[in-house]
Amino acid sequence: LSDHFIDPSLLVPITWPYRATLVYVDDGRKVLELCVAWQSLKDPIAFLPCGEAQCIVVLSSGEEDPSVFGVEVLGEVIQNSGSQDSDAMLLDDEPCVDAPAGASEPQEFAPALPEPVADQMEHVPASVQTDSNEPVVVEVSERPPRAQFVPEVPSKEERLLHEVTHLPYKSWCPHCTMMKEVPDQHRSLPEGVREHPTISFDMSYTGYDCTNEPADSQKDKLACLIVRCSHTDAIAAVPLPDKSAPSMKHAAVEVVRFCQLLGHTEVELKCDNEPSMLLLQGLALNARKRLGFKTRIKNPPVAAHQANGPVEKSVDVIRRLANVMLSMARERLGIEIGNHPLFSWAFIHSAWCHSRYHVKAGLTAHECASGARYNGKLVPFAEPVYAYVKPLQKGNAKWEMSIFLSKSTTSDMFIRLTKSVRRTGQPWKMEHKLAESKGVPWIII
C-alpha cells in the first residue's frame, strides 16, 4: 500500500532500467507505467495520480509485453514516454485519472523522441494536434533546470519518532544529512542466491577529532569488526581494542554467535587476506567444527578488496548510522564523544537497529531470520533514562538513572540487564555526568 511511486535505486542496480507500476483501486485494476525508463524521470518517487492504492512494481532489463508480468490487457495500453506528467496507462478501458470532458477513448501521443531530446524536453509539451490529427513536434526554446529536491519540514511527532533510530534515512534530518547522505553513485551487481549463506566480515577504523582532548589521544581510532549475512542481510558490529590474538579470539566467538542467532547450520566464511582476518576466520572455523556445523572457506584474491564488496558496503552503512547517533548525542548531552565508550556502543546499537528497522525487499533482517516483526520498545541512543533495578532492600529506589546504550540480541533486555526503562522528558544535558562511565563493550581475557 503506497501513495507514491517506488524508487528502484534503493533495491536494485542500474541494470534494471525499466519500471512498470500496477495498482488496484476501487474502480478496477490500473497500469500507471509500462516499461518506463525510471532513471530519466524528473521525480521517480512522485505521488500516484490515483492516491493511495495497492501497488505492484515490476522491474525489467528491457521493454516487455504486459503478458510477461501476468497482466491481461482488456483495453488499449499507452506506452509511457518517460514522464509521469503524461496520462496513466489503461486497463479495463478505464482511466486512473479523470479524462478530459467528452473523451471516450485514450488520447493519442506523439512517437517517442530520441532519448537525448526527450531528456531535454522533460515536462515540456512534446507535440500538438493539428486539424489533420497528425502530431507535430514543437520546437522548444528553453531548457528547464532540474532543481535539487527540497525536503518537507516534518511535524514534531514525526521528528521525535525518527530520532529514536534514525531509520529510514530522512532528508529533513540534519544529523542524517551530515553523516549519512551519499553522492550519486553506481551500484554493483548483487550475487546470485545460494543454498547456504555467506558470512563475510571486515575490520573498520573510525576516529573523531575532539577539541578538548590531547593530540595523542586523537590519533586513536576505534577498531570495529563488521559481520554480514548474505541471506538475511543481518549485520553485527563487534568493537575491539586492537587486532591482537586475544581480540581475534573474542571476535571469533561473536562471529559464531552471530551465525547461531540466525539459525545457520551451514555457512561460508569470507574475508580478505589480511593476517588478522585469516586468524579470525580460522578460529571461527575450528569453533564451528567442534560444534558439529559444516563450514566452508572462500576468500577473494589477494589485493582484490572489491570481491568482498557487500561487507565493505555494510561497513559504510553502519559507520554512517553510528555517526548520526553520535552527532545527536553530542548535541543533546553537550559533551565531546571521541575516545569514549559511547563511541564504540554507537556501532553496536547501529547494527542492532539496522537489522530490525532497515527494510529490504519488503522485510527486515530480523523478520527474515525469525519470521516475526520486532515489536520491542526503544529510546534514542545515549538518552538518560530511568532503568528498573531489583533493590537489595525494599526501601531502596527501584529506578535508577542510566544512559541507554543498546538492547540484547537474545533476551531483548536493555543493556544494563534491565527489562524496562522510563524516559524523563528532561533535557539530556541535565544528566550529562552519566556519560562519564568507562564501561566498554568488549571483555578480553
Side-chain angles (χ1 to χ4, degrees):
L1 192 67
S2 177
D3 60 351
H4 60 274
F5 290 89
I6 305 302
D7 185 4
S9 64
L10 302 177
L11 303 175
V12 299
I14 59 176
T15 50
W16 300 91
Y18 293 95
R19 180 179 70 183
T21 301
L22 297 78
V23 297
Y24 184 85
V25 289
D26 296 336
D27 54 351
R29 294 167 295 170
K30 313 294 177 185
V31 177
L32 299 184
E33 296 176 316
L34 180 58
C35 296
V36 172
W38 55 268
Q39 299 175 63
S40 63
L41 296 177
K42 183 175 182 180
D43 186 6
I45 55 173
F47 286 100
L48 298 177
C50 55
E52 189 176 58
Q54 297 182 16
C55 180
I56 298 178
V57 179
V58 181
L59 302 178
S60 61
S61 58
E63 298 183 359
E64 302 287 351
D65 187 87
S67 60
V68 177
F69 306 142
V71 177
E72 181 181 359
V73 179
L74 303 180
E76 182 179 357
V77 178
I78 304 174
Q79 184 71 27
N80 196 323
S81 61
S83 173
Q84 292 171 350
D85 290 343
S86 60
D87 286 349
M89 301 176 207
L90 310 180
L91 273 183
D92 298 343
D93 297 325
E94 294 182 2
C96 184
V97 294
D98 295 337
S104 59
E105 297 182 358
Q107 297 179 349
E108 297 182 1
F109 284 78
L113 298 175
E115 186 171 320
V117 179
D119 184 69
Q120 294 174 357
M121 299 177 64
E122 190 173 26
H123 293 285
V124 178
S127 65
V128 296
Q129 291 295 121
T130 63
D131 294 337
S132 61
N133 292 328
E134 294 182 359
V136 178
V137 177
V138 178
E139 183 176 354
V140 181
S141 59
E142 61 179 0
R143 300 293 183 268
R146 298 183 63 185
Q148 181 65 41
F149 172 76
V150 178
E152 297 180 0
V153 179
S155 63
K156 182 179 179 181
E157 292 76 12
E158 291 177 334
R159 180 179 60 80
L160 292 176
L161 185 62
H162 171 73
E163 289 178 350
V164 174
T165 63
H166 289 281
L167 289 173
Y169 167 83
K170 296 296 183 181
S171 57
W172 45 257
C173 174
H175 305 288
C176 284
T177 301
M178 289 188 297
M179 297 297 187
K180 205 174 177 183
E181 182 62 281
V182 296
D184 297 335
Q185 57 185 352
H186 296 288
R187 296 178 180 268
S188 59
L189 291 174
E191 296 182 358
V193 178
R194 299 183 178 181
E195 295 182 359
H196 56 273
T198 297
I199 306 299
S200 51
F201 48 89
D202 194 13
M203 190 73 72
S204 67
Y205 301 91
T206 309
Y208 178 77
D209 292 334
C210 293
T211 58
N212 58 353
E213 289 186 359
D216 294 339
S217 62
Q218 293 183 12
K219 297 180 181 179
D220 296 333
K221 294 183 178 181
L222 173 69
C224 184
L225 181 74
I226 301 298
V227 191
R228 177 185 179 273
C229 170
S230 62
H231 275 198
T232 63
D233 200 36
I235 302 176
V238 185
L240 299 169
D242 48 41
K243 296 193 298 182
S244 62
S247 297
M248 292 300 103
K249 182 179 178 180
H250 168 72
V253 172
E254 295 299 324
V255 171
V256 174
R257 182 180 300 169
F258 176 74
C259 298
Q260 297 303 101
L261 288 174
L262 298 178
H264 298 322
T265 58
E266 181 179 354
V267 300
E268 178 182 85
L269 299 179
K270 185 177 182 180
C271 66
D272 57 30
N273 291 278
E274 185 179 351
S276 59
M277 293 295 96
L278 294 178
L279 173 62
L280 169 58
Q281 187 182 56
L283 292 172
L285 173 64
N286 294 333
R288 283 184 55 84
K289 282 186 175 180
R290 288 195 298 268
L291 295 174
F293 296 118
K294 189 174 182 180
T295 308
R296 292 183 172 88
I297 296 295
K298 183 179 180 181
N299 295 334
V302 177
H305 298 285
Q306 296 82 359
N308 203 20
V311 70
E312 292 186 356
K313 177 62 178 178
S314 299
V315 168
D316 183 60
V317 168
I318 298 304
R319 178 187 286 125
R320 287 189 285 117
L321 182 56
N323 286 338
V324 170
M325 294 183 176
L326 288 168
S327 176
M328 190 176 78
R330 294 185 186 103
E331 178 186 282
R332 297 292 179 85
L333 292 172
I335 62 173
E336 291 279 11
I337 304 176
N339 188 12
H340 190 280
L342 284 179
F343 199 89
S344 55
W345 280 108
F347 283 78
I348 293 179
H349 189 57
S350 297
W352 187 94
C353 288
H354 187 277
S355 297
R356 287 158 181 78
Y357 294 99
H358 176 72
V359 179
K360 182 178 181 181
L363 293 173
T364 65
H366 181 270
E367 293 165 1
C368 291
S370 64
R373 179 178 297 184
Y374 180 75
N375 197 33
K377 293 184 178 180
L378 200 60
V379 299
F381 174 74
E383 178 177 351
V385 294
Y386 286 105
Y388 176 79
V389 295
K390 188 175 181 179
L392 297 177
Q393 301 294 336
K394 294 184 177 180
N396 295 351
K398 297 182 179 180
W399 298 83
E400 295 182 358
M401 289 297 300
S402 302
I403 288 287
F404 171 71
L405 301 175
S406 186
K407 299 190 76 175
S408 170
T409 56
T410 55
S411 62
D412 197 43
M413 296 185 68
F414 293 85
I415 299 298
R416 195 191 169 171
L417 300 181
T418 179
K419 63 180 181 179
S420 302
V421 299
R422 295 292 183 268
R423 304 178 73 173
T424 65
Q426 301 297 325
W428 295 15
K429 292 182 180 180
M430 296 179 60
E431 305 293 341
H432 70 276
K433 291 184 178 180
L434 291 173
E436 298 176 359
S437 59
K438 301 299 182 181
V440 292
W442 56 78
I443 301 177
I444 307 299
I445 299 177

